[in-house]
Amino acid sequence: MTTEFKPDPVINAKVNQEFKKDEYEPLGKPVYVKKETALDAMAGDGGYQEEKYLGNYLRFKMKREGKRFWAGDNISEYIDNDHVKEQLIDEATEAFELVLDRLLIDRENDPNSKGTARRLAKMYFNEIMAGRYESAPDATAFPNDSEDRYEGMLVVRSELRSMCSHHHQPVSGVAYIGIIAASKLIGLSKYTRIAQWCARRGTLQEELANDIAREIAKATGATDIGVYIQAVHGCCENRGIMAHSSLTQTTVLKGAFKDDSGTKKEFFDNIKLQQEFAPR
Ligand SMILES: [Zn+2]
């Protein structure tokens, strides 16, 4: 028995796939009007709507150039003068105003909320995320290559203030940075400046330890490096599990700090001595 094939009227329907002719005839004759789709607007520099914000222009530029701009990344090469930063602060103020409006906070009448949007914008750019927008601190290196060069371990304790990328809650603690001196040395305060420059961003403590180790290696030329961080996290204390005495420890060890048990022990003994000297 054979069954005759009957085309399904819906599936096999002949659809006219020609685009309709434009019927827009303002001068009595058809005019072709290009309609900008949402995708058109996203492509390239984003179209005129998007480009009125410098922040959008810079985002598209970084995407085009393959530049990563995560919360913990430094993008100072795109903020090449103070006017750029001022403009970005203005734009962020506008955006924070909208956030306050959406939170149903009366920023017109509440005297404490009047300038909050601008305060937030300035705080992000100039303080809690300053390490994203500012270039690396100058760290002049001094030669350490004479006969009586310093060959020992150097451990510097640096106060840290950071912010978690997940909740934008404060992270505060200390980093202990240890190196075996290489052929150059930097001023003692520079270790802390570099650590704070890495910390003043949206970070994860694990990544922060790596970032500090990498930047210290760059500045000093040292390959034997240890970074130990202990910090308390606002996102564990103020919300979520509300754990008020939680402490997070992370360690990154490179070169002899990793491979030589004597060096490793000396580093952690030094940390204990520091903690006895000034507990925290
Ligand atoms: Zn968090």
Side-chain angles (χ1 to χ4, degrees):
M1 195 174 89
T2 56
T3 314
E4 208 183 318
F5 173 72
K6 281 186 193 155
D8 183 287
V10 176
I11 294 173
N12 301 91
K14 275 197 180 139
V15 179
N16 179 7
Q17 295 195 332
E18 256 180 52
F19 289 108
K20 276 191 189 143
K21 289 210 179 87
D22 211 307
E23 288 163 3
Y24 182 52
E25 297 184 5
L27 301 171
K29 33 184 179 175
V31 172
Y32 175 71
V33 181
K34 184 180 185 299
K35 294 188 182 74
E36 192 182 53
T37 65
L39 271 179
D40 289 337
M42 297 285 284
D45 281 355
Y48 55 89
Q49 269 296 329
E50 298 287 329
E51 265 196 9
K52 76 178 179 185
Y53 289 101
L54 176 62
N56 283 331
Y57 166 75
L58 291 176
R59 272 194 310 119
F60 288 121
K61 190 168 152 76
M62 289 189 283
K63 279 188 185 176
R64 248 196 337 262
E65 295 175 2
K67 164 75 182 171
R68 203 178 80 166
F69 52 104
W70 295 5
D73 291 330
N74 180 277
I75 54 166
S76 56
E77 70 261 42
Y78 291 85
I79 321 284
D80 44 15
N81 64 62
D82 286 347
H83 299 298
V84 170
K85 205 193 214 180
E86 283 310 310
Q87 168 98 26
L88 292 173
I89 289 173
D90 285 348
E91 292 177 4
T93 300
E94 199 182 314
F96 277 123
E97 284 172 351
L98 191 61
V99 171
L100 293 170
D101 291 346
R102 293 294 182 263
L103 291 171
L104 305 177
I105 292 170
D106 182 357
R107 61 184 172 84
E108 284 150 359
N109 296 302
D110 173 1
N112 298 317
S113 301
K114 266 185 183 170
T116 297
R118 183 147 201 92
R119 279 191 288 272
L120 283 169
K122 284 171 82 173
M123 179 181 73
Y124 269 83
F125 277 92
N126 296 332
E127 292 165 322
I128 58 180
M129 280 206 173
R132 301 189 73 233
Y133 310 109
E134 289 168 4
S135 51
D138 288 329
T140 314
F142 306 100
N144 181 42
D145 50 11
S146 61
E147 218 162 83
D148 56 348
R149 62 187 292 267
Y150 180 71
E151 292 178 318
M153 183 182 290
L154 186 86
V155 180
V156 176
R157 176 161 109 162
S158 303
E159 292 280 335
L160 286 188
R161 289 287 179 278
S162 190
M163 187 179 81
C164 82
S165 314
H166 297 145
H167 304 94
H168 290 203
Q169 284 285 305
V171 174
S172 71
V174 284
Y176 294 88
I177 302 163
I179 64 163
I180 305 290
S183 57
K184 52 185 181 175
L185 288 171
I186 56 172
L188 291 178
S189 66
K190 303 302 182 196
Y191 294 89
T192 301
R193 284 198 192 287
I194 290 170
Q196 288 179 346
W197 175 67
C198 293
R200 287 302 205 178
R201 307 173 190 187
T203 60
L204 281 191
Q205 192 176 320
E206 298 89 328
E207 282 175 7
L208 178 57
N210 270 325
D211 290 347
I212 294 174
R214 189 185 57 244
E215 295 301 328
I216 294 292
K218 258 192 232 169
T220 61
T223 49
D224 303 313
I225 296 179
V227 175
Y228 165 78
I229 299 178
Q230 59 181 44
V232 290
H233 290 247
C235 61
C236 297
E237 292 192 325
N238 306 333
R239 53 161 298 288
I241 56 169
M242 305 285 266
H244 294 286
S245 63
S246 66
L247 181 70
T248 305
Q249 300 170 301
T250 44
T251 310
V252 170
L253 302 172
K254 307 268 186 207
F257 284 76
K258 186 177 174 189
D259 304 325
D260 178 57
S261 57
T263 306
K264 189 173 175 177
K265 184 173 183 309
E266 187 185 339
F267 179 49
F268 284 103
D269 285 350
N270 272 324
I271 291 173
K272 274 182 218 138
L273 289 170
Q274 291 234 22
Q275 289 174 341
E276 280 166 26
F277 176 73
R280 87 149 269 149

